Amino acid sequence: MAQQHTYKKAPSAAEQRTYSLAQPVVLVGFMGAGKSSVARKLARNFGLTSIDTDHYFANHQGMSAGAYIRAYGEAAFRDEETAVLKKVLSLPPAIVSCGGGIVEREENRELLKEQTVLFLRISADEARSRISSLDSRPLFGDIEAARALLARREALYEEVATVTIDTSGKGVGQVTTLVQRELKERGILCLQ
Ligand code: S3P
């Protein structure tokens, strides 16, 4: 019988080490900014946990954020979203990616101000080009509505942000590298 060889890719320097988070890291920004993709990539790179508030919501409600907004309206969704935010921030420190409208509620903003928050900035036009289907995002609207919504929210994102990262023209890998640098410099991503 022929001998089989399996070749494994050598682990990267980051993979060989164990990292931990000293506190939760929260990603905010407009729909399409890449929050959940960056959170997942960071978690993969460093063996950490990522939690997306919309996924957490969907797992517990049995329907997506978009479907819930269509069925029950935005205000009902925001109530549930606040409960989700409180819950995920009470769990062991994780990379938390938030739905784009988390900053709408003052109560959420007060909670976020106590955290390390990275605001992934994007224009409404670039966000639109990154979103394949708007069906899951009933609040995006048409491009004029999205520009107006983002213009109003920009100050709210800034209000809670510890750091702002401009993601325009950058892919998930590049943004993740910038986030990693910030977290290491701030002593939040620690080698165990
Ligand atoms: C929303 C953004 C969505 C989701 C919901 C409302 C918003 O999350 O929470 O549709 O108000 O901006 P993403 O930012 O992940 O698309």
Side-chain angles (χ1 to χ4, degrees):
M1 198 173 130
Q3 205 183 340
Q4 287 198 336
H5 297 279
T6 49
Y7 296 96
K8 272 194 171 169
K9 205 177 120 210
S12 69
E15 283 165 345
Q16 286 172 354
R17 298 167 181 176
T18 313
Y19 284 81
S20 68
L21 280 179
Q23 52 183 269
V25 170
V26 184
L27 304 182
V28 301
F30 204 53
M31 294 167 262
K35 295 157 289 178
S36 43
S37 305
V38 170
R40 275 198 304 271
K41 193 164 173 60
L42 260 180
R44 255 199 323 272
N45 286 355
F46 294 100
L48 301 168
T49 303
S50 67
I51 306 174
D52 183 81
T53 57
D54 283 341
H55 292 163
Y56 191 97
F57 174 91
N59 285 339
H60 287 79
Q61 294 287 341
M63 74 201 289
S64 70
Y68 194 94
I69 291 171
R70 284 187 204 285
Y72 304 109
E74 184 180 352
F77 170 69
R78 297 289 171 220
D79 290 340
E80 298 300 333
E81 189 180 46
T82 296
V84 168
L85 180 63
K86 285 181 179 163
K87 177 69 195 168
V88 300
L89 291 178
S90 74
L91 298 173
I95 315 275
V96 177
S97 53
C98 294
I102 201 101
V103 292
E104 290 281 357
R105 287 253 165 123
E106 189 183 352
E107 185 180 0
N108 298 351
R109 296 200 299 279
E110 293 309 315
L111 288 169
L112 291 173
K113 281 182 206 168
E114 292 166 12
Q115 310 296 325
T116 297
V117 177
L118 294 109
F119 166 30
L120 304 189
R121 173 178 275 140
I122 186 153
S123 71
D125 293 72
E126 194 166 344
R128 177 66 194 92
S129 72
R130 289 187 193 180
I131 297 172
S132 51
S133 162
L134 289 181
D135 289 350
S136 58
R137 287 159 168 118
L139 301 182
F140 195 94
D142 62 20
I143 190 63
E144 263 83 43
R147 285 182 194 136
L149 182 61
L150 177 56
R152 185 175 62 73
R153 281 185 184 169
E154 195 87 20
L156 305 180
Y157 293 129
E158 289 288 3
E159 186 185 328
V160 300
T162 314
V163 187
T164 298
I165 294 179
D166 185 5
T167 75
S168 44
K170 300 186 183 83
V172 171
Q174 287 168 293
V175 177
T176 306
T177 302
L178 294 175
V179 171
Q180 280 168 201
R181 199 173 298 159
E182 284 291 342
L183 298 182
K184 283 185 180 168
E185 276 174 17
R186 286 163 193 273
I188 294 167
L189 190 56
C190 315
L191 254 181
Q192 274 186 338

